[in-house]
Amino acid sequence: MGDVTLTIDDRTVTVPAGTSVWEAAARLGIDIPVLCHDPRLRPVGVCRVCAVDTGERTLPASCVREVQEGMQVRTDTDEVQAHRRVLTELLLADQPPVSRREATTGHDQLYALARRLGVGTIPWPDGAEGHPRGEDWSSPVIAVDHQACILCDRCVRACDEIQHNDVITRSGKGYATRIAFDLDAPMGESSCVSCGECVAVCPTGALTHRALPAAAAGEGSQP
Amino acid sequence: MKRFEAGAAAPALDEIREVPTLCPYCGVGCALAYGVDRAGTIHYARGRDGASNAGRLCVKGRYGFDYTSHPQRLTRPLVRRDAAYPRGPLSAFSRPGASGPRKPGGIVDYAEVLPHFREASWAEALDRVAAGLAGVRDRHGADAVAGFGSAKGSNEEAYLFQKFIRAVIGTNNVDHCTRLCHASSVYALMEGIGSGAVTNVVRDVENAEVAVIAGCNPTANHPVAATFIKQAAAAGTKLLAVNVRRPGLADYAQQYCQIRPGTDVAFYNAVMHVLIDEGLHDRAFVAERTEGFEALRAVVARYSPEAVAGITGVPADEIAGFARTLGRARSAMFFWGMGISQHVFGTDNARCLIALALLTGNIGRPGTGLHPLRGQNNVQGASDAGLIPMYYPGYQKVADATVRARFEGLWGVPLSPEPGLTTAEITHAALEGRIRALYCMGENPFLSDPDVNRVRESLSSLEFLAVQDIFLTETAEFADVVLPASSFMEKRGSYTNTDRRVQLGRPVREPPGEAREDWRIIAALARRLGHDWDYADEAAIFDELVAAAPLYANLSHERLGDNGRWYPCPSPESDGERLLFTERFPIGRGRFVPAELGEAPDLPDAEYPLVLNTGRQLEHWHTGVMTRRSLALDALAPEARVEVHPDDAERLGIADGDWTRLTSRRGSVQVQAKVTDDVALGTLFLPMHFREAAANLLTSPELDPYGKIPEFKICAVRLERLATPHGEIAQHNDTSDTA
């Protein structure tokens, strides 16, 4: 495989063929926001927040799109920004009002993205009204808040491809789609070995550490 | 319309800083960072991109850190009250016959034990320890004193402790728990290739075509290492698992051979028989880099797969298939654990695996090598630093006059030429009055040594016992003086993981109350006994260790940095050697040492018809001193279960969860049953962590003649269903733990 030369935001970069646009941009120090991707995981391009303008009819997800010779990429056009903003607003519309991640370990990537994009009022209906997707407190160490889940599958890939425990999958359809443990068992009764890799990769408050009583400040530690 | 409040993250988190350090549990040596607040409370652990973990952690590393801030931490020195003599166990649980349902936490009952001690000043406590040890030395000779160090302490602590016993007390009676896990592997490795450390790192399994997983259960005991092995299997590495009890990795293995207890030598000899018979061995490697092949060939010739099938329970064609997969592989790595080493023939078992690697030419290239998986976070380092009765730091023989002269020069004192006693030998010797004083740092022999009843007598018979630990352990119940020490999170020090990587642990909090860093306690005792021990800090101790043990050349605290280095480290700039013995072995050629199938001392008969196997489980750690004080780990795995095969359970009328009595020729415990076909018919498995069902009440104190490791894996037992748990102990459930 040879090298490919392309232009990102008017800067030229040469990378090995097969590199993703997101990785090529990272090499230039250009930070393209992303929620479903983690450099340690196989990219799947489901959240679409990393979409960029390559001059095509639609905006491809940069985490999965491979570089092409002579490609002209723009990462910050008005159209790209509007696209990211709408996606972020839609994802936020049914999020819990407070991020459990920000109350435990910090680094809620969805909330951080909303701040970065200056999201204030959310002009979309809250799908959770009357249809909450539920919480799971059956594990002594990991809290599951399905309402905060954006179905990015990072936990699924981390469980399968990093720890190789193969516990997490999906169940349900439409808005009721949720991550599931084994055949939709409560997490504490599933084959989960509590390695916490899913919590480490989750970009939202969907999978978080349950604060240990000794460390709990009293807020957000228990249901 | 909903609004997003763009406020900053929770303000409490602003106070949290992340300290890069290590996980305190197993030998994998995962790099992590703790999120700590100003009060020293750890809020979370985050995996760092360390050489052995690449950001991964397991349940113990991720959630098991809170033991260090448990309210039962020892905060002031304790001295046994006069009324608490003659010395014996202070809690009902540690007296003979105690077994059954646990009290909350399953740990020493402070309310029962503490009244037998009074608080003392450090000055008084240190005076008493110094006088206790020196008094016995002066009356009965230095060899009447012994020390137990710990594989959970740092290299610096291990070094100082052995130096204290050798240079200040004047005996080589210093040992630690390696004796209970890999002493036999180390003996066989030293003999076979001239080095006791691993030849290759775990993560190189990704370059191996075949990985032999022998007598180990990495998914429970080295969970993060197991993720790399599973990842390799997913990418095409063929796993060949051999075990008495089904290991988690069997699910990912091409072949799993469930051998009968104690038949490892027969199995591997038969594998070697096939390899030689079918010409699948590496003739060039054998010719150029080994010696003793003919002797090996003569022995394994008698172990045909057909002859061995009936012994091991593995069909002859499966043994042959195993040999062919291994023999045809371009590269193979060999991992092993306690299932190999913890036998009276543990050294022979390890000899077979070493011979297998030599025979197939699988040492010295990427994706090949010998890897005895080390248990505790510093098993490798504690051995390297000389916590071994026959070796000074760096495996230099005590019995070698030239070496001894060098250490006498380095330490400025005359040293004993007699190799000392090993852990189990020390407890035996105490019973005979040959050992009269013991200094025990961070170990809990009451539960970790075989045959608890014998250990109890042994601890009771000592003239003087000093225990230095972070909690009141079962062993501390016998102490004259208890010194409150530092936990992993409260000190700086280097730790050497199973991959030979030396990494730096950093303090994240202050020791509670008047508790002190271990090295300061040891140095203070040395000063009281007239030795001018004046170390500026931990780095200075490490520098002295490097000077004493050339093995650690080119390393220093500063050079270890955030990510550590492998030893041997050829230059100050190098990251160290990942792969050893590419050209030659330290003893020149590798040595084949043939082994014959031995017999376990404690075999089943009509009265004790089943074979008990003991070991660890994922959520817990050794005698439970740490993990059972972790809220998360205790919640995940609160109780002991004895694993029973479904057919045995049916025959004995035992259902899952039933209370049972498990009796060996030495003792009896009560424990609930877990019915599972992970264990073979006729065998049981009991984890060693639970004092209320202490596996070592049952085990046999017989030792391997070379490694002096006890027989923890084969013990004849009887299993009976109990209608109700033991009445007397059940009453204890009513009183709550003090905590």
Side-chain angles (χ1 to χ4, degrees):
Chain A
M1 291 213 289
D3 284 348
V4 171
T5 301
L6 70 159
T7 307
I8 306 177
D9 293 345
D10 298 327
R11 294 164 66 190
T12 301
V13 63
T14 301
V15 293
T19 304
S20 72
V21 171
W22 189 85
E23 288 168 322
R27 192 168 292 197
L28 286 171
I30 298 170
D31 177 20
I32 302 177
V34 69
L35 293 174
C36 70
H37 183 52
D38 177 318
R40 293 189 300 159
L41 298 171
R42 179 173 49 87
V44 291
V46 298
C47 78
R48 316 304 287 187
V49 162
C50 69
V52 291
D53 188 341
T54 53
E56 298 166 64
R57 186 176 58 81
T58 57
L59 304 177
S62 64
C63 71
V64 287
R65 174 57 61 92
E66 287 183 13
V67 292
Q68 288 171 326
E69 187 62 39
M71 201 179 213
Q72 303 272 334
V73 180
R74 297 219 67 94
T75 69
D76 61 350
T77 64
D78 289 349
E79 189 191 2
V80 165
Q81 295 293 1
H83 166 92
R84 283 183 194 147
R85 193 184 167 84
V86 171
L87 280 180
T88 306
E89 287 170 355
L90 282 164
L91 288 171
L92 273 175
D94 64 351
Q95 282 285 309
V98 174
S99 163
R100 260 193 59 79
R101 180 162 299 274
E102 296 205 329
T104 53
T105 55
H107 310 288
D108 185 310
Q109 293 179 24
L110 175 58
Y111 276 48
L113 181 60
R115 286 191 196 103
R116 174 170 161 180
L117 296 171
V119 170
T121 305
I122 298 166
W124 309 103
D126 181 350
E129 277 174 18
H131 310 279
R133 295 193 292 174
E135 299 177 0
D136 177 353
W137 293 87
S138 59
S139 160
V141 292
I142 297 172
V144 188
D145 183 353
H146 292 289
Q147 200 57 47
C149 176
I150 60 170
L151 297 173
C152 68
D153 276 356
R154 273 165 73 155
C155 58
V156 178
R157 282 173 284 151
C159 191
D160 290 359
E161 296 168 21
I162 293 183
Q163 293 268 350
H164 295 267
N165 289 325
D166 307 336
V167 177
I168 314 180
T169 178
R170 279 193 187 190
S171 70
K173 286 184 172 180
Y175 189 77
T177 308
R178 313 194 309 182
I179 55 163
F181 307 94
D182 294 342
L183 298 173
D184 214 4
M187 188 184 215
E189 292 164 30
S190 73
S191 61
C192 169
V193 294
S194 310
C195 69
E197 195 71 49
C198 56
V199 176
V201 298
C202 178
T204 71
L207 288 160
T208 51
H209 300 312
R210 289 184 74 162
L212 302 165
E219 192 183 340
S221 60
Q222 300 285 320
Chain B
M1 206 171 284
K2 193 169 172 177
R3 277 195 59 81
F4 173 69
E5 303 298 338
L13 287 174
D14 294 348
E15 302 268 300
I16 289 179
R17 69 197 163 96
E18 289 200 354
V19 182
T21 179
L22 309 170
C23 172
Y25 287 103
C26 80
V28 174
C30 295
L32 53 67
Y34 289 119
V36 195
D37 66 20
R38 282 185 193 167
T41 304
I42 300 172
H43 291 256
Y44 58 84
R46 190 193 300 282
R48 289 193 293 129
D49 190 12
S52 61
N53 68 313
R56 304 171 190 190
L57 293 176
C58 77
V59 62
K60 289 192 286 286
R62 188 92 63 185
Y63 300 112
F65 48 76
D66 56 324
Y67 70 90
T68 187
S69 51
H70 193 280
Q72 286 189 335
R73 280 293 299 276
L74 296 170
T75 57
R76 294 201 64 189
L78 300 172
V79 171
R80 197 180 189 92
R81 291 181 192 276
D82 291 341
Y85 288 91
R87 185 190 290 99
L90 300 174
S91 72
F93 253 76
S94 299
R95 284 181 210 128
S99 164
R102 71 196 185 102
K103 306 180 66 172
I107 41 190
V108 169
D109 185 348
Y110 276 41
E112 229 176 337
V113 175
L114 270 181
H116 297 284
F117 289 96
R118 62 174 173 82
E119 292 190 343
S121 69
W122 268 106
E124 184 196 352
L126 290 171
D127 281 344
R128 278 177 180 261
V129 175
L133 298 176
V136 167
R137 177 192 61 188
D138 297 342
R139 287 192 302 277
H140 303 284
D143 287 340
V145 182
F148 285 166
S150 172
K152 299 215 72 62
S154 64
N155 289 324
E156 294 76 6
E157 288 161 359
Y159 174 77
L160 271 203
F161 189 83
Q162 62 84 34
K163 182 178 170 185
F164 177 83
I165 298 292
R166 292 193 157 113
V168 176
I169 302 295
T171 175
N172 289 306
N173 289 333
V174 60
D175 205 3
H176 74 294
C177 46
T178 286
R179 192 64 47 200
L180 307 174
C181 58
H182 267 305
S184 47
S185 309
V186 170
Y187 188 94
L189 284 166
M190 294 293 285
E191 169 192 79
I193 62 174
S195 161
V198 300
T199 66
N200 202 351
V201 306
V202 174
R203 287 181 68 182
D204 206 28
V205 67
E206 67 187 28
N207 297 315
E209 192 175 324
V210 163
V212 174
I213 311 293
C216 59
N217 187 13
T219 50
N221 302 324
H222 300 84
V224 171
T227 69
F228 291 103
I229 298 174
K230 289 189 276 186
Q231 186 164 307
T237 299
K238 295 170 190 156
L239 306 186
L240 302 178
V242 187
N243 213 323
V244 170
R245 171 175 174 251
R246 185 181 175 86
L249 284 177
D251 291 345
Y252 303 80
Q254 159 154 322
Q255 191 178 355
Y256 165 47
C257 298
Q258 186 160 43
I259 58 169
R260 295 206 180 106
T263 62
D264 305 68
V265 166
F267 180 85
Y268 295 110
N269 276 353
V271 169
M272 288 190 272
H273 176 103
V274 175
L275 285 166
I276 294 171
D277 211 34
E278 301 189 3
L280 291 169
H281 58 298
D282 187 335
R283 286 187 192 79
F285 189 94
V286 168
E288 289 158 24
R289 300 201 48 190
T290 71
E291 61 188 42
F293 174 69
E294 287 308 322
L296 179 85
R297 181 211 288 267
V299 168
V300 302
R302 298 198 297 276
Y303 290 80
S304 70
E306 293 72 24
V308 159
I311 299 167
T312 59
V314 181
D317 58 337
E318 286 189 29
I319 297 174
F322 185 104
R324 288 171 195 141
T325 305
L326 183 60
R328 288 173 188 151
R330 289 181 305 275
S331 56
M333 276 186 83
F334 297 81
F335 294 97
W336 74 89
M338 311 289 100
I340 291 295
S341 61
Q342 286 180 336
H343 288 289
V344 293
F345 36 73
T347 303
D348 283 335
N349 289 349
R351 283 170 174 155
C352 286
L353 287 167
I354 295 161
L356 199 50
L358 293 172
L359 190 64
T360 52
N362 279 310
I363 302 184
R365 290 176 290 124
T368 72
L370 293 164
H371 199 121
L373 287 156
R374 299 311 169 101
Q376 308 213 30
N377 58 336
N378 202 35
V379 172
Q380 185 65 55
S383 304
D384 296 341
L387 270 187
I388 314 183
M390 50 294 244
Y391 293 121
Y392 293 121
Y395 305 96
Q396 303 173 74
K397 283 188 178 145
V398 161
D400 181 325
T402 316
V403 168
R404 192 167 59 250
R406 196 169 83 78
F407 274 90
E408 286 176 339
L410 188 67
W411 292 341
V413 290
L415 295 170
S416 164
E418 294 298 319
L421 301 176
T422 62
T423 50
E425 286 177 335
I426 287 169
T427 41
H428 292 195
L431 280 175
E432 297 161 9
R434 288 185 288 129
I435 294 288
R436 293 164 184 263
L438 179 64
Y439 177 16
C440 180
M441 176 179 83
E443 295 241 317
N444 191 12
F446 183 82
L447 286 183
S448 65
D449 280 26
D451 196 357
V452 168
N453 287 321
R454 195 180 164 92
V455 179
R456 184 181 359 246
E457 276 180 55
S458 162
L459 292 173
S460 301
S461 69
L462 291 168
E463 276 178 36
F464 183 78
L465 171 64
V467 169
Q468 179 173 323
D469 216 313
I470 62 173
F471 294 110
L472 269 182
T473 59
E474 288 80 0
T475 304
E477 292 189 31
F478 298 83
D480 296 276
V481 182
V482 181
L483 303 173
S486 49
S487 77
F488 181 90
M489 277 74 161
E490 293 147 12
K491 56 197 172 192
R492 183 177 301 277
S494 63
Y495 299 82
T496 308
N497 76 355
T498 190
D499 286 338
R500 293 180 272 102
R501 196 167 180 90
V502 188
Q503 309 180 98
L504 211 51
R506 290 189 175 77
V508 300
R509 64 194 295 273
E510 294 289 321
E514 294 178 18
R516 288 188 186 174
E517 290 151 293
D518 292 75
W519 77 266
R520 292 186 195 277
I521 304 174
I522 304 167
L525 283 172
R527 285 194 294 271
R528 266 178 170 65
L529 292 171
H531 291 253
D532 178 25
W533 282 22
D534 189 20
Y535 296 96
D537 55 17
E538 299 86 342
I541 304 170
F542 188 82
D543 292 344
E544 188 179 308
L545 163 62
V546 173
L551 189 77
Y552 277 27
N554 294 316
L555 299 178
S556 72
H557 270 206
E558 195 186 342
R559 284 186 213 122
L560 293 178
D562 275 354
N563 293 315
R565 288 166 197 266
W566 285 295
Y567 85 80
C569 190
S571 74
E573 295 75 35
S574 164
D575 197 35
E577 299 284 355
R578 198 176 133 105
L579 173 63
L580 299 183
F581 314 138
T582 51
E583 305 288 329
R584 65 183 293 280
F585 296 109
I587 51 169
R589 285 166 171 263
R591 260 177 225 145
F592 285 111
V593 183
E596 298 278 8
L597 181 63
E599 195 171 79
D602 193 30
L603 290 172
D605 59 13
E607 200 180 347
Y608 301 97
L610 300 168
V611 174
L612 177 72
N613 177 17
T614 66
R616 290 170 279 171
Q617 75 183 63
L618 172 65
E619 295 85 358
H620 283 297
W621 188 255
H622 296 132
T623 64
V625 174
M626 293 155 69
T627 53
R628 299 197 78 188
R629 287 182 175 89
S630 158
L631 288 160
L633 298 175
D634 188 53
L636 285 165
E639 63 203 4
R641 295 284 176 117
V642 60
E643 296 185 6
V644 194
H645 189 275
D647 294 353
D648 284 326
E650 192 183 339
R651 189 170 49 79
L652 297 164
I654 293 167
D656 197 68
D658 276 357
W659 279 95
T660 65
R661 180 186 287 121
L662 193 54
T663 310
S664 81
R665 296 184 174 105
R666 285 157 298 281
S668 175
V669 301
Q670 295 174 39
V671 58
Q672 282 174 281
K674 175 180 174 183
V675 177
T676 166
D677 52 16
D678 285 350
V679 291
L681 193 65
T683 69
L684 306 169
F685 176 82
L686 182 65
M688 62 167 289
H689 320 287
F690 299 89
R691 69 196 299 255
E692 64 275 18
N696 285 324
L697 265 168
L698 309 172
T699 51
S700 148
E702 300 286 330
L703 301 180
D704 174 278
Y706 309 99
K708 307 289 173 73
I709 195 167
E711 177 61 76
F712 282 124
K713 297 292 186 185
I714 298 178
C715 159
V717 290
R718 168 172 82 230
L719 183 71
E720 303 150 280
R721 183 172 177 277
L722 283 177
T724 51
H726 199 281
E728 186 202 341
I729 303 296
Q731 287 173 8
H732 281 287
N733 274 342
D734 300 332
T735 55
S736 63
D737 228 23
T738 55

